[in-house]
Amino acid sequence: MHAYQAPIEDYRFLLNEVLGFDEAMGELGLDVDATLAEAVLEEAGRYCAERLAPLNREGDEHGSTLKDGAVTTPPGFAAAWRDFTEAGWTSLAADPAYGGQGLPFILQLWQDEMLSATNMAFGLFPGLTRGAAEAIAAHASEGLKSTYLPHLTSGAWTGAMALTESGAGTDLALLKTKAVPLGEDRFAITGTKIFISSGDHDFGGNVVHLVLARLPDAPPGVKGISLFLVPKFLPDDAGGHTVRNTLSVGALEKKMGIHGQPTCVMNYDGAVGWLVGEANKGLAAMFTMMNAERLMVGIQGLGLAGGAYSQAAAYARDRLQGRSADGTRGPVAIIEHADVRRMLLGVRSFVEAGRALAGWTALHLDRAHRHPDASERARSDALVALLTPVVKAGFTDLGFEATVQAQQVFGGHGYIREWGMEQFVRDARIAQIYEGTNGVQAMDLVGRKLGLNGGAVVESFFALIEADLAKASGEAAPVAEAVTKALALLRNATQALKGADIDQSGGAAVDYLRLFALVALGWMWVRMATAPGDTPQHQAKRALASFYAQRVLPQTEGLAAALASGSASLFALPADAF
């Protein structure tokens, strides 16, 4: 495999010429500029290239193991985690009140991209730890915050999210894990959870589980779910955390991909835990962590696509096969062949636009948390809520397709483990499933997010796109024209879904989300194509924008036609005919 090269030049272009990073930081009162941001990203990219990428294949082949109740991660993972935490990477965007660096979230999100591009299995450890810390910070008591957040922020302890049970996946109303009061604000948690990423490891320190369970007097359904903090180690009399709690790993899941990540079956046998937030309102508290994780998972799809692209492009430049188009030369590098270029451009046109849209979303997440104007905070928070299912599902669907296309560039070699491409494909597949399947994300977009503020949020988002389209000129004008047509299709589909019944909205949701994602990515291409300048990078951006407009955006017409057909064909066959 070719050595990983972090996309620092692209980050620099986006910070300075597309996203208005310095202006955004000034508006938020943060003493951070693009020069500092680039330096942080460059160091993060160096760590990923030098420490994590070399562990990726061995982690896949060796996997995590379970023996006598103890989890062992692949060789090198524990040492890499120590280096990662000592360098401060777990605290990048965390609250300074608990030892964080307080840097803007865009740096965290792009770091997640590089982690996923080089070692997705490893990248889940810091991502889940960060999500647990955010949920605790938002909902836990001051005592729990002061006890757990400094350790989670530093990476001395890690976090895990325990929702799923064998009979309760998407429908959490069916979960059976119980919580019995013990007095002194403590509860005994009993039950079994499955698919628990980072449930245990050999890094040392505590593992802090956030567990959904039911109190004895809880009402039925999701209204009776509470959230509990259940650590691997309990406090001792000396003020440390050395007393082993009664939770254990029953098994490690055998999976299609991310073999280096210990995905655990967790048994809680009267394990001691503390209530996080209010009783019977645990699902709302857990959604703080889930929404953070959904953005991270979307970036996993983006990162894997970018990592796969860099390998495929390097291979296409080196691999000699076939003759030139005019037949005068041969063998030639396969980058000269039209179909290879089609595949590579398709992947790259998603990756670079996705990177831009992720950055735009991250900046609005910072606005939602830090802007001095409450109305601006609310506006940005609503935009992030709207885009969260789009990033999660859109980026992971397109990301998986991108890894397959990158694998295809290698031909037969892409199917062989030696080249690493089949691992990209296997690892990418889970991102479409966990943290809420992409079908569920699509139904969330259609059923909930389009109705935010009576539909005003989605309309404001469309207005942002239209404002940029109106300013496009020169080489960007044809791209803007194509996006304008696609946006009109999206507007019509949005209007048609208002008041739709459950069958119509459920049958339309996935196609609608893809249509939404393609338009949003097209918007980013307009913004990149209008950046002034005539360097090779500017020329490449305009060429890629034209490719996207001509070869990718036409998919929106087919999606719009499918959406207009309604749901009748989905129910033409009776259930017993399947």
Side-chain angles (χ1 to χ4, degrees):
M1 293 183 69
H2 293 268
Y4 174 73
Q5 294 289 326
I8 303 303
E9 289 301 319
D10 206 29
Y11 292 145
R12 181 178 294 114
F13 173 80
L14 293 174
L15 289 169
N16 290 301
E17 303 194 49
V18 178
L19 299 176
F21 180 78
D22 285 355
E23 181 181 353
M25 294 301 99
E27 191 175 3
L28 300 180
L30 292 177
D31 187 20
V32 181
D33 61 14
T35 301
L36 174 60
E38 292 161 20
V40 171
L41 291 166
E42 191 168 358
E43 284 302 313
R46 182 176 295 112
Y47 176 86
C48 290
E50 295 177 358
R51 295 291 283 115
L52 296 185
L55 297 176
N56 195 37
R57 179 174 169 184
E58 184 172 9
D60 180 63
E61 294 180 347
H62 188 282
S64 288
T65 57
L66 176 66
K67 184 177 181 180
D68 298 328
V71 171
T72 302
T73 55
F77 271 46
W81 181 256
R82 287 193 295 272
D83 292 345
F84 190 80
T85 58
E86 288 173 3
W89 293 119
T90 57
S91 65
L92 201 61
D95 188 344
Y98 300 103
Q101 299 176 55
L103 290 170
F105 186 69
I106 189 172
L107 303 184
Q108 182 66 72
L109 209 63
W110 281 345
Q111 183 205 43
D112 285 344
E113 180 193 351
M114 292 185 280
L115 287 170
S116 299
T118 52
N119 199 321
M120 178 176 164
F122 182 93
L124 278 161
F125 289 107
L128 287 163
T129 300
R130 185 173 70 247
E134 290 178 6
I136 293 168
H139 301 285
S141 67
E142 290 302 320
L144 290 177
K145 291 178 187 179
S146 63
T147 299
Y148 288 92
L149 288 180
H151 297 289
L152 290 169
T153 298
S154 71
W157 296 355
T158 61
M161 177 170 56
L163 288 76
T164 307
E165 300 176 8
S166 60
T170 299
D171 189 356
L172 291 171
L174 302 176
L175 71 81
K176 297 180 179 179
T177 298
K178 299 295 184 183
V180 177
L182 295 174
E184 298 180 348
D185 297 324
R186 302 190 310 162
F187 296 81
I189 312 300
T190 301
T192 297
K193 300 287 186 177
I194 63 172
F195 305 157
I196 309 307
S197 300
S198 303
D200 201 5
H201 51 69
D202 55 349
F203 297 171
N206 216 340
V207 184
V208 181
H209 292 234
L210 293 182
V211 184
L212 291 181
R214 293 186 182 280
L215 292 164
D217 58 351
V222 295
K223 294 182 179 180
I225 297 173
S226 299
L227 180 64
F228 299 88
L229 187 157
V230 185
K232 179 180 178 179
F233 293 106
L234 297 167
D236 58 30
D237 293 336
H241 284 72
T242 61
V243 179
R244 189 69 163 83
N245 206 351
T246 52
L247 57 88
S248 61
V249 180
L252 293 182
E253 306 286 4
K254 294 177 172 59
K255 314 184 293 291
M256 176 179 175
I258 55 170
H259 295 154
Q261 168 61 216
T263 306
C264 303
V265 175
M266 294 299 308
N267 296 319
Y268 303 91
D269 299 307
V272 176
W274 288 263
L275 183 67
V276 175
E278 297 182 46
N280 302 323
K281 294 185 178 180
L283 196 58
M286 180 60 89
F287 263 107
T288 298
M289 184 173 185
M290 290 178 69
N291 284 331
E293 299 308 317
R294 285 170 176 173
L295 285 176
M296 181 194 74
V297 170
I299 302 308
Q300 288 177 344
L302 175 65
L304 287 163
Y309 169 81
S310 66
Q311 294 296 319
Y315 180 84
R317 292 192 299 268
D318 294 343
R319 175 69 167 171
L320 302 178
Q321 199 87 167
R323 301 189 66 79
S324 60
D326 61 9
T328 62
R329 295 176 292 111
V332 296
I334 63 172
I335 193 68
E336 292 195 31
H337 301 318
D339 188 54
V340 172
R341 286 173 168 257
R342 176 191 62 81
M343 291 186 285
L344 289 173
L345 288 167
V347 176
R348 184 170 168 180
S349 67
F350 157 60
V351 169
E352 295 189 13
R355 188 174 290 141
L357 185 60
W360 186 90
T361 305
L363 288 177
H364 274 276
L365 192 63
D366 272 323
R367 286 174 60 87
H369 292 156
R370 304 173 189 256
H371 200 282
D373 186 328
S375 63
E376 286 298 313
R377 292 197 301 273
R379 173 176 172 271
S380 288
D381 188 59
L383 287 169
V384 172
L386 174 69
L387 284 175
T388 293
V390 178
V391 170
K392 194 285 181 184
F395 282 23
T396 57
D397 279 346
L398 293 168
F400 176 72
E401 293 165 20
T403 62
V404 172
Q405 285 294 286
Q407 181 190 38
Q408 190 77 6
V409 171
F410 283 73
H413 291 292
Y415 201 67
I416 303 301
R417 174 164 291 191
E418 174 187 357
W419 293 88
M421 302 308 292
E422 54 87 33
Q423 184 186 345
F424 279 113
V425 174
R426 288 185 290 105
D427 285 354
R429 187 62 184 91
I430 184 57
Q432 297 170 284
I433 298 172
Y434 60 13
E435 299 304 336
T437 64
N438 285 0
V440 170
Q441 300 302 311
M443 288 186 282
D444 176 52
L445 175 64
V446 169
R448 294 186 179 92
K449 302 304 171 57
L450 294 185
L452 288 174
N453 296 347
V457 176
V458 70
E459 283 300 322
S460 70
F461 181 69
F462 292 163
L464 288 172
I465 297 176
E466 288 171 334
D468 283 336
L469 297 179
K471 294 183 290 187
S473 61
E475 291 182 56
V479 181
E481 183 180 352
V483 177
T484 299
K485 292 178 180 178
L487 179 59
L489 296 174
L490 179 59
R491 276 190 173 281
N492 291 339
T494 304
Q495 184 65 33
L497 284 171
K498 289 182 178 179
D501 61 32
I502 187 66
D503 288 342
Q504 184 180 352
S505 60
V510 168
D511 286 340
Y512 178 85
L513 187 144
R514 190 179 186 94
L515 174 58
F516 197 114
L518 291 175
V519 171
L521 293 170
W523 171 42
M524 288 295 112
W525 274 121
V526 171
R527 293 186 66 151
M528 288 186 281
T530 54
D534 200 38
T535 68
Q537 186 177 39
H538 289 92
Q539 294 168 12
K541 292 294 185 185
R542 289 192 285 270
L544 282 160
S546 294
F547 172 88
Y548 187 87
Q550 295 171 19
R551 301 298 296 260
V552 179
L553 269 182
Q555 294 176 25
T556 59
E557 297 176 13
L559 291 166
L563 288 166
S565 70
S567 61
S569 62
L570 299 175
F571 294 92
L573 281 179
D576 59 8
F578 282 85

